[in-house]
Amino acid sequence: MDLHSLRPYDFRKADDATYYFETENGLKYRAYFIEFPATFYKLYSFSFEKEEGNAPYDKRVKDTIVTVLADFFDSENYILGYTCDVTDGREMARKRLFDRWFEQANNGSLRKIDFQMDNIYVSLIVNRNYFAIDAAVQDINQLFVDILSQK
């Protein structure tokens, strides 16, 4: 998928790590990145959430999230880690959705590495040419295993 074929909503950056946008149905979203300070690598988590309200499926929300992620990866050589929310039992559906979004939007410049522990799904996204991808994946995998095994 070419990023030029996307139709994202206009978004604004509150700072380098927080983005806001509103849909044509008036739903407000926040997409944000949080740095893991305890790693050698520039590792960030990613989340997005909407305020109260329901609306039918809106492809432009996906387009906006993909564009926000592209903007994030254009900034520096970051590693993005995300876990699928487990609070409502829909973590597998979220994983399938994010996998599909990644496959559709990736132009080959990014690599996704998946981990699973019980019902916790974790993925890392990194530029293919990251200087120490194998060492980073190994170290970060161990970090997630350590964090998740403490729960």
Side-chain angles (χ1 to χ4, degrees), residues 31-87:
Y32 56 97
F33 301 87
I34 300 171
E35 184 173 5
F36 279 84
T39 62
F40 168 75
Y41 311 98
K42 288 194 174 235
L43 172 64
Y44 288 80
S45 66
F46 172 72
S47 293
F48 70 96
E49 54 198 32
K50 76 174 169 60
E51 292 179 357
E52 296 297 315
N54 290 317
Y57 172 77
D58 184 346
K59 178 189 176 304
R60 293 184 66 194
V61 170
K62 176 196 78 161
D63 291 353
T64 306
I65 297 300
V66 167
T67 304
V68 163
L69 290 168
D71 183 72
F72 178 77
F73 276 108
D74 281 347
S75 301
E76 280 195 46
N77 208 1
Y78 297 132
I79 299 174
L80 179 67
Y82 68 89
T83 59
C84 295
D85 182 12
V86 299
T87 57

Side-chain angles (χ1 to χ4, degrees), residues 15-31:
D15 54 45
D16 287 341
T18 308
Y19 300 73
Y20 292 96
F21 65 95
E22 185 173 340
T23 69
E24 60 193 23
N25 293 320
L27 294 176
K28 295 177 183 179
Y29 284 82
R30 177 174 73 121

